[in-house]
Amino acid sequence: MRKATYGLDTVKQQIANLKGCGVDLEVNIGRKRLRTFSGTIQSVYPSVFTFIDNDGGIKTYSYSDVLCGDVKIL
């Protein structure tokens, strides 16, 4: 059975709704390794969004990363 997928506009809207909220991100860093970060979504741009983790690090992810499953918002 085919998995239901979302469009890019839907992903952008969902992330924009989470702006300023505390979220957990699970990031696929390659070779079946996953890393979890806790923090807030700081800014939402047309192609990317920025995430500040609780350690103060700023990370930038594209919406296509979320769409293809490399980044999961928990």
Side-chain angles (χ1 to χ4, degrees), residues 2-63:
R2 184 174 169 207
K3 182 180 175 183
T5 58
Y6 298 106
L8 195 58
D9 292 331
T10 305
V11 172
K12 285 182 183 181
Q13 186 61 39
Q14 289 175 347
I15 292 174
N17 290 340
L18 293 173
K19 181 180 174 183
C21 298
V23 295
D24 293 332
L25 291 184
E26 185 177 77
V27 181
N28 180 359
I29 57 173
R31 296 186 184 242
K32 297 183 182 180
R33 291 181 293 175
L34 298 174
R35 191 124 187 241
T36 304
F37 299 102
S38 296
T40 59
I41 296 175
Q42 178 188 21
S43 301
V44 177
Y45 298 105
S47 300
V48 296
F49 64 96
T50 58
F51 176 80
I52 297 181
D53 62 5
N54 290 339
D55 296 332
I58 298 175
K59 296 167 180 40
T60 304
Y61 300 105
S62 68
Y63 301 111

